[in-house]
Amino acid sequence: MTRPASLESDAARLREAMAKDLAEVGALADPAWRAVVETVPRHRFVPGFYLPAEERDGQGQTAWDPVTAELDYDRWLSAVYSDTTLITQFDGDEPDWKKPAERFGGAPTSSSTLPSLVLRMWSDADLRDGNSVLEIGTGTGYSTALACERLGSADVTSIEVDPHRLQMAASALYACGYTPTLAVADGLYGYWPEARFDRIVAACSFRAVPPALLTQTYPGGKILLTLSGWLYGYARVLLTVAEDGTAEGQLLGGTVSFMSARAHAVPAFGNPAHWAADLSETPRPARHSPERITAPTEEAFHLRFLAQSAVPDAQMTTVGDVVHLVDVVTGSAAALTPHDGGWWVREGGPMKLWERIEGILDAYDGADHPGPEAFTLHICDGGQQLRHAQMPGLLLPEP
């Protein structure tokens, strides 16, 4: 079907409704940002995307329905102007939206982040009029457009590692009248030609703060990014850069996650059974259940990040009832098996992975369950350390 002539008026009405909804839940307290949301046409940046189907395929994989205006105008436009993340790419493969096909499984590699999170990101970065901003991860360009509408295009630089994705975003931005500086570049290294910046904001996550971002930020400037890792633990941090190039900042609350920078993506580790073959034959009772870090709760989300900081190269997978931990860097592994209402653990390799995690959980309990805001990240020549007054310092991986 062709798009109806009423598209722009339909979109304007839905934008206004979305802005109202976001304001009611506290995501649009600033009138200036509300005006931005009511102005920027998100539909121009997402001609197609995927939404999860109601049923999985025969192998249990998520089925993803392609959604375009031509396939289903009402579903497309309704999703565009909802507070929803819209997946636009899997496994680095750019879809042909003129002939879209259903997908099964796969790892999302690009999306249009839900508007409330984009707004929260820009708000938490403490943007001020006149600030120069580097955005890492242009994606569809929608968040870039919001920044341009708020600050003016001249103060916005946005970089994207995927050249085709940037080309699509650039076309949409320019068609809407926004002219930020755009470049194909890896966020690990920032963007020297436009440095320095008052603010750097990353729409992807990193295992540690890239040093280039510190040197590309003015003293007193701020960096907002999400820290992540191979246990899929996440934490956001807002850093302030000092004159001497060091930085310090508090972890922020909430359960935000972003796709990893591609260079920091989780490596494949093979068959868990192969790793389990070399574990100790004698199990021991586990002091903590793996559910402490896997439960669908805000506390478990936070604990998974802390646990990950103690075993930064570990990954976790569950096969049947057995929870496997695998470290491809050191060759260490652990397996937890349910037993009589508790858990048994077997470990092997140079690092006792679950014992390290148990140490963090013990310290966390002893410190009376401190939330993310109780931790600060310190960056200096000695590395990147997460600190809390009553818990041992945790070093992030080498950036």
Side-chain angles (χ1 to χ4, degrees):
M1 63 172 287
T2 59
R3 300 187 184 191
S6 61
L7 170 58
E8 296 305 326
S9 59
D10 290 344
R13 173 176 51 80
L14 291 174
R15 270 200 306 278
E16 186 174 346
M18 183 176 74
K20 180 181 177 182
D21 291 342
L22 291 174
E24 288 177 351
V25 298
L28 270 179
D30 184 343
W33 279 111
R34 179 164 182 166
V36 166
V37 171
E38 291 176 342
T39 301
V40 176
R42 192 186 188 201
H43 65 279
R44 300 278 193 91
F45 297 90
V46 280
F49 47 86
Y50 293 98
L51 293 177
E54 293 183 2
E55 298 181 1
R56 293 176 177 266
D57 72 356
Q59 297 180 331
Q61 297 185 104
T62 300
W64 295 91
D65 291 334
V67 181
T68 67
E70 287 70 25
L71 290 172
D72 189 333
Y73 173 80
D74 290 336
R75 187 186 187 195
W76 170 72
L77 198 59
S78 175
V80 166
Y81 289 109
S82 64
D83 193 27
T84 305
T85 292
L86 306 174
I87 305 299
T88 56
Q89 186 191 81
F90 286 90
D91 302 323
D93 298 328
E94 194 66 29
D96 179 359
W97 292 115
K98 294 180 180 179
K99 299 178 182 178
E102 187 178 22
R103 284 199 61 107
F104 299 94
T109 47
S110 189
S111 68
S112 177
T113 304
L114 67 161
S116 63
L117 177 52
V118 174
L119 292 163
R120 180 178 171 187
M121 177 178 71
W122 289 128
S123 176
D124 286 343
D126 190 26
L127 291 187
R128 309 281 180 88
D129 290 341
N131 281 165
S132 56
V133 175
L134 171 65
E135 177 190 38
I136 298 173
T138 313
T140 65
Y142 175 65
S143 61
T144 317
L146 293 175
C148 290
E149 185 67 33
R150 180 68 176 82
L151 298 175
S153 297
D155 287 325
V156 178
T157 298
S158 186
I159 60 174
E160 169 62 50
V161 72
D162 184 325
H164 186 78
R165 186 98 302 279
L166 186 72
Q167 181 181 17
M168 299 292 289
S171 296
L173 285 161
Y174 298 154
C176 292
Y178 302 116
T179 57
T181 298
L182 301 173
V184 176
D186 190 327
L188 288 174
Y189 308 103
Y191 196 59
W192 279 107
E194 296 294 311
R196 297 185 178 188
F197 302 96
D198 296 301
R199 300 288 186 271
I200 295 180
V201 178
C204 59
S205 62
F206 299 95
R207 299 183 72 206
V209 181
L213 304 188
L214 301 177
T215 55
Q216 292 179 28
T217 304
Y218 283 117
K222 298 181 180 182
I223 301 171
L224 177 72
L225 52 73
T226 300
L227 298 169
S228 63
W230 296 347
L231 285 183
Y232 295 102
Y234 298 89
R236 293 187 310 141
V237 64
L238 180 63
L239 294 163
T240 299
V241 178
E243 288 276 357
D244 60 2
T246 62
E248 180 178 322
Q250 184 181 41
L251 298 190
L252 305 179
T255 55
V256 171
S257 61
F258 279 106
M259 297 173 192
S260 296
R262 297 192 184 184
H264 284 187
V266 179
F269 60 81
N271 187 335
H274 297 165
W275 293 84
D278 293 327
L279 299 179
S280 62
E281 293 184 3
T282 305
R284 66 168 177 85
R287 298 199 306 275
H288 296 278
S289 161
E291 292 162 347
R292 292 280 315 263
I293 63 173
T294 61
T297 65
E298 191 164 331
E299 181 180 54
F301 187 93
H302 172 47
L303 277 174
R304 190 157 61 251
F305 175 74
L306 296 180
Q308 173 182 273
S309 299
V311 288
D313 300 317
Q315 301 177 58
M316 182 166 54
T317 188
T318 301
V319 180
D321 293 333
V322 181
V323 177
H324 294 269
L325 288 165
V326 171
D327 183 331
V328 299
V329 176
T330 67
S332 304
L336 292 107
T337 305
H339 179 76
D340 288 342
W343 292 80
W344 288 102
V345 59
R346 295 189 303 132
E347 298 181 278
M351 183 186 298
K352 294 187 181 300
L353 299 177
W354 191 248
E355 186 174 298
R356 284 202 173 198
I357 291 176
E358 287 178 319
I360 293 299
L361 296 176
D362 288 342
Y364 173 80
D365 292 341
D368 197 23
H369 301 186
E373 298 90 342
F375 293 83
T376 55
L377 180 63
H378 297 256
I379 302 178
C380 57
D381 291 340
Q384 303 187 15
Q385 187 176 54
L386 196 63
R387 297 178 185 173
H388 180 273
Q390 296 174 267
M391 289 186 65
L394 294 168
L395 290 174
L396 298 187
E398 288 291 324

